[in-house]
Amino acid sequence: MQPAIGKPSFFRNILVRLLLFGVFIIVVRFAYIVTITGESCNRGDFCFFSLPENLNLVIANAGPSVSAIFGSDAVSRSNNPRLDLYTSKDWIKAVNYYSSVFQDLISQGYLSPNSKSLCVETPSGQEVFALKEIGVKNSIGIFKKASKPLVISGEGHRIPFANNTFDFIFSGGARLDKSAWPSEFAFEITRTLKPEGFLVAHVKAKDKYSFNSFLDFFDSCELVKMRHIDGFDSSLPYIREIVMKKKGEIPEHGDNNPGGDSDNECTVPEHKRDLIRNAEPLITEEPLKPWITLKRNIQNIKYLPSMVDISFRSRYVYVDVGARSYGSSIGSWFRKQYPKQNRTFGIYAIEADRTFHEEYALKKKVTLLPYAAWIRNETLSFEVNSDPTHPGLEDVKDKGRGMGRIQPKMSTGYVVDGEVDEIQGFDFAEWLKNTVTEKDFVVMKMDVEGTEFDLIPRLFETGAICLIDEIFLECHYNRWQRCCPGQRSTKYEKTYGQCLDLFTSLRESGVLVHQWW
Ligand SMILES: *[C@@H]1O[C@H](CO)[C@@H](O)[C@H](O)[C@H]1NC(C)=O
Ligand SMILES: *[C@@H]1O[C@H](CO)[C@@H](O)[C@H](O)[C@H]1NC(C)=O
Ligand SMILES: *[C@@H]1O[C@H](CO)[C@@H](O)[C@H](O)[C@H]1NC(C)=O
C-alpha cells in the first residue's frame, strides 16, 4: 500500500517513478527510432519529444496532477490511483508494443493522426495510451469496467457508440477469439466503423479454416491485408494481424442475392475441401461383418474439430436426425466423444417415434422435433416393428435403435405387415435453412432407415447441404446378417455399392461425411 497522501515521501516516490518512467520512454523511443525505423527525428509527431513535454508538466507541478501525463484530456486532477499501473513494467512493455504496431499502421496508411479511433475491450487502456502517444489524439477505449480517462465502460458485443462513428477500430490481444459473442462483436465493430474505415484485429485464428470463418463474420468489410506478427507476451507468441476496410454505403434495401436461383447453389471453398483430403478413407470393400467393421471405424474418424480451429462461428449446433433414445447417440457419443473445443452446442433431436419422446421432456438443453425428417410436409406411415417381412431375422441392434422405416402414406404396394403408425413428416432441408446460417457451425448425425436416399438429394437440391460442416451418416443396405451366415438382410434394397456411391459423391461435392454404424 502507498503511504497516506500528504506525506512527503509519497511525492518523492511519485517523482522518482515518473523520472524513471520518463527516462525509460525516452530510451526506448530513441532506440526504436534509431534501430527500427532508422529515421532521424524529423516528424514531430513521432519524436520522443512529445512525451517529455507532458512529463515536464507533471514535474513542474510536482503535485497530485500526475494525470496531466495524458496531455489535454479531461482528467480528474484530484486522484492518481493508476500511477502504479502506468509505471509497471508490463504496462510500459505493452504500450511500446502497441506504439510500434500503430506506427506501422500509420506508415501503411490505415491510420492517421486525425483518425477518430476506438480500441475495443482494452482492460487498462495501453492501446489507447499508445495511440495518443504517437499523436492519434482522438482515441478512446472501451472495457466492461471503465478506467478513465482512457477507457470508458462498454463491451465488444455492445459498443456504446452510434453507427458510422470511427475511422479506425482496433481489437488487440486475441480478444475476439475469447469473446463469448464473437458474431455480435463483429457486427458491432462493423456498425460503428465509418464506411471506408479500417478495422485492425489481432486474432489467433490458427488455420485457414478459422481465418475464413473470421472473414465471414465481417461480410460488409473487405480484407486488405493479413500478416503474422509476434504477440506482445508469451501467452500469444504468434498472432495474425488482419486489416479490413468497411465497404462503402450499401443501398438501403440491397439484395445480395439477385436472381433468387442462386439461393440453392453453393460452392465449397478450398479450405473445406482440404479437410476431406485429410479425412479417414472410406471403407471401399463391403464388410463381411458390418456390425463389427463399421462400429470399429468410429476409432478412425478424423473429427473436424480435431483437424482445425472452429472459432469464429455464431452458434454451434448439433442435429441428430433419427435420434432414437437420448443415450443412443446424443448422450453416449456426441456429449462424450465429439471434440467441441470448449464450445457449447445447441442440440436438436429429430425423432418421430413416440416411445422416445417422454425422456426428452427432461432434457432441457435438447430441442426435440417429434416428427420424421422428410422431403416435404406430409403425413407418413411409420413402421414400428423392425422388420415386418422377416420378424426376428434382422440382426439385433443396440437397444433403442434400428427401426422405423417411413413411407409416404399414399404410396401403393407398401406391405403393411408390422404395426404402422401415422406420423407427421416435415421438409427437413427447408427447416435447416430456416434454423441455421452459414455463420453457424453445424454437425449432423443421420440414421434414418433408408430415407437418406431421399433426404440427401433434397439437401443438395435446396442448397441446405452447404450449411452442414460435418455429417455422420449411416447408410442402410442389404447387409450380411449376424444371425445367419450367408444371408443378407431383406429390410433394405440398396447395396453396399450404392451406399459407397452416396458417400463418394458427398465427399466429391465437398461435404465432410463419415460412415456411421
Ligand atoms: C445502425 O446500423 C445497423 C446495422 O448496420 C442498423 O440495423 C440500424 O438500424 C442502424 N441504426 C440507425 C439508428 O441508423
Ligand atoms: C478448454 O478449457 C480448458 C479449461 O478451461 C483448457 O485447459 C483447455 O485448453 C481448453 N481447450 C481448448 C481446446 O480450448
Ligand atoms: C412445413 O411446415 C413448417 C412447420 O409447420 C412450416 O413452417 C413450413 O412453412 C411448411 N412448409 C411448406 C412447404 O408448407
Side-chain angles (χ1 to χ4, degrees):
M1 285 302 289
Q2 291 289 342
I5 294 201
K7 288 194 182 162
S9 65
F10 176 63
F11 294 112
R12 237 189 346 260
N13 196 357
I14 291 176
L15 274 177
V16 168
R17 281 169 184 243
L18 278 172
L19 281 170
L20 284 176
F21 178 59
V23 167
F24 183 82
I25 291 285
I26 288 167
V27 168
V28 168
R29 188 117 323 264
F30 185 74
Y32 175 79
I33 287 167
V34 170
T35 60
I36 299 183
T37 67
E39 281 173 29
S40 65
C41 201
N42 51 12
R43 294 161 72 193
D45 273 348
F46 307 120
C47 285
F48 56 82
F49 298 118
S50 57
L51 199 66
E53 183 183 284
N54 291 333
L55 286 175
N56 284 340
L57 219 162
V58 173
I59 292 160
N61 288 349
S65 64
V66 254
S67 42
I69 198 165
F70 304 117
S72 57
D73 272 50
V75 160
S76 155
R77 286 173 164 256
S78 57
N79 56 21
N80 50 13
R82 314 220 146 258
L83 191 62
D84 273 353
L85 177 64
Y86 293 159
T87 52
S88 80
K89 250 195 204 155
D90 285 349
W91 208 79
I92 294 169
K93 189 174 156 226
V95 167
N96 285 311
Y97 171 82
Y98 286 117
S99 301
S100 84
V101 163
F102 293 137
Q103 300 230 16
D104 281 351
L105 293 169
I106 287 185
S107 65
Q108 294 165 64
Y110 307 129
L111 174 64
S112 88
N114 301 322
S115 299
K116 191 166 184 194
S117 304
L118 173 70
C119 299
V120 190
E121 299 213 342
T122 166
S124 50
Q126 297 108 332
E127 290 105 314
V128 188
F129 190 91
L131 276 173
K132 289 184 186 285
E133 191 204 33
I134 63 167
V136 185
K137 297 289 178 207
N138 199 354
S139 41
I140 189 78
I142 59 168
F143 190 62
K144 205 168 178 176
K145 189 168 175 292
S147 167
K148 283 178 179 163
L150 299 178
V151 181
I152 64 162
S153 170
E155 288 177 87
H157 61 281
R158 274 196 312 238
I159 298 181
F161 290 99
N163 289 2
N164 308 338
T165 301
F166 297 100
D167 302 297
F168 176 83
I169 297 184
F170 180 74
S171 166
R175 282 187 276 272
L176 254 161
D177 303 69
K178 293 170 197 156
S179 171
W181 302 273
S183 74
E184 289 80 358
F185 197 138
F187 176 87
E188 283 290 274
I189 288 177
T190 315
R191 181 183 68 76
T192 49
L193 202 56
K194 286 181 193 167
E196 322 263 304
F198 290 102
L199 155 70
V200 176
H202 284 182
V203 292
K204 279 196 240 161
K206 289 189 202 113
D207 44 44
K208 254 202 304 189
Y209 197 85
S210 50
F211 177 56
N212 277 281
S213 303
F214 178 88
L215 297 185
D216 289 344
F217 265 174
F218 292 93
D219 45 12
S220 45
C221 297
E222 60 199 40
L223 177 65
V224 174
K225 192 176 166 199
M226 192 283 289
R227 62 172 186 153
H228 296 283
I229 60 171
D230 292 331
F232 89 90
D233 67 22
S234 53
S235 71
L236 296 169
Y238 161 97
I239 209 163
R240 286 181 199 257
E241 181 175 85
I242 302 174
V243 183
M244 303 194 87
K245 183 179 186 180
K246 183 167 166 183
K247 291 174 191 162
E249 289 289 4
I250 308 155
E252 277 281 300
H253 301 288
D255 185 1
N256 290 335
N257 239 337
D261 281 356
S262 56
D263 255 11
N264 296 346
E265 283 162 25
C266 53
T267 50
V268 179
E270 203 49 35
H271 66 275
K272 291 201 174 171
R273 292 189 179 268
D274 284 350
L275 294 173
I276 291 167
R277 286 191 269 280
N278 296 324
E280 78 285 354
L282 296 170
I283 302 165
T284 48
E285 291 279 314
E286 179 181 351
L288 293 177
K289 296 181 175 175
W291 57 94
I292 296 178
T293 313
L294 290 171
K295 192 160 188 171
R296 270 196 195 144
N297 187 50
I298 200 88
Q299 314 292 337
N300 303 330
I301 283 179
K302 298 271 195 58
Y303 292 107
L304 193 162
S306 67
M307 294 191 276
V308 290
D309 174 7
I310 57 168
S311 305
F312 305 118
R313 295 303 186 96
S314 298
R315 289 186 306 156
Y316 296 83
V317 177
Y318 172 60
V319 184
D320 197 318
V321 192
R324 316 309 287 161
S325 70
Y326 177 81
S328 75
S329 49
I330 300 176
S332 64
W333 171 75
F334 184 75
R335 288 255 201 237
K336 291 202 181 122
Q337 293 182 42
Y338 188 79
K340 301 179 198 65
Q341 296 185 7
N342 288 349
R343 312 279 163 185
T344 305
F345 278 71
I347 298 179
Y348 292 95
I350 300 180
E351 179 50 61
D353 192 337
R354 284 189 202 109
T355 31
F356 301 111
H357 291 173
E358 204 175 318
E359 72 172 317
Y360 283 100
L362 305 171
K363 306 285 175 200
K364 293 275 179 290
K365 289 181 178 157
V366 180
T367 307
L368 171 72
L369 282 89
Y371 312 109
W374 186 235
I375 54 172
R376 66 184 84 88
N377 288 352
E378 67 179 343
T379 305
L380 301 162
S381 39
F382 180 72
E383 189 183 286
V384 178
N385 282 346
S386 60
D387 191 343
T389 47
H390 292 84
L393 278 188
E394 174 64 11
D395 51 86
V396 183
K397 286 197 164 193
D398 301 346
K399 190 168 173 288
R401 300 186 57 219
M403 51 185 199
R405 272 191 301 181
I406 58 175
Q407 291 285 326
K409 199 180 165 204
M410 294 304 155
S411 79
T412 50
Y414 176 56
V415 187
V416 182
D417 214 13
E419 203 183 316
V420 171
D421 255 354
E422 263 187 19
I423 50 160
Q424 189 59 44
F426 72 108
D427 188 340
F428 173 66
E430 274 316 309
W431 171 82
L432 195 66
K433 286 173 81 174
N434 293 331
T435 306
V436 300
T437 76
E438 270 144 16
K439 290 179 187 172
D440 298 326
F441 181 81
V442 181
V443 191
M444 177 182 297
K445 187 220 83 183
M446 182 181 274
D447 179 358
V448 288
E449 306 305 311
T451 313
E452 61 272 14
F453 284 98
D454 304 292
L455 291 180
I456 299 283
R458 174 80 182 149
L459 287 171
F460 274 101
E461 187 188 306
T462 55
I465 195 78
C466 283
L467 298 168
I468 307 169
D469 290 88
E470 181 166 35
I471 305 184
F472 297 83
L473 175 66
E474 173 160 354
C475 187
H476 298 82
Y477 67 97
N478 58 353
R479 51 171 28 201
W480 295 114
Q481 298 208 82
R482 194 179 194 167
C483 63
C484 336
Q487 280 197 45
R488 287 180 178 278
S489 159
T490 53
K491 192 174 169 189
Y492 307 106
E493 290 161 11
K494 302 288 182 190
T495 63
Y496 190 79
Q498 285 170 303
C499 279
L500 194 60
D501 286 347
L502 182 64
F503 284 112
T504 309
S505 71
L506 275 163
R507 284 201 175 178
E508 277 169 1
S509 316
V511 180
L512 181 60
V513 67
H514 307 282
Q515 284 164 295
W516 184 259
W517 78 99

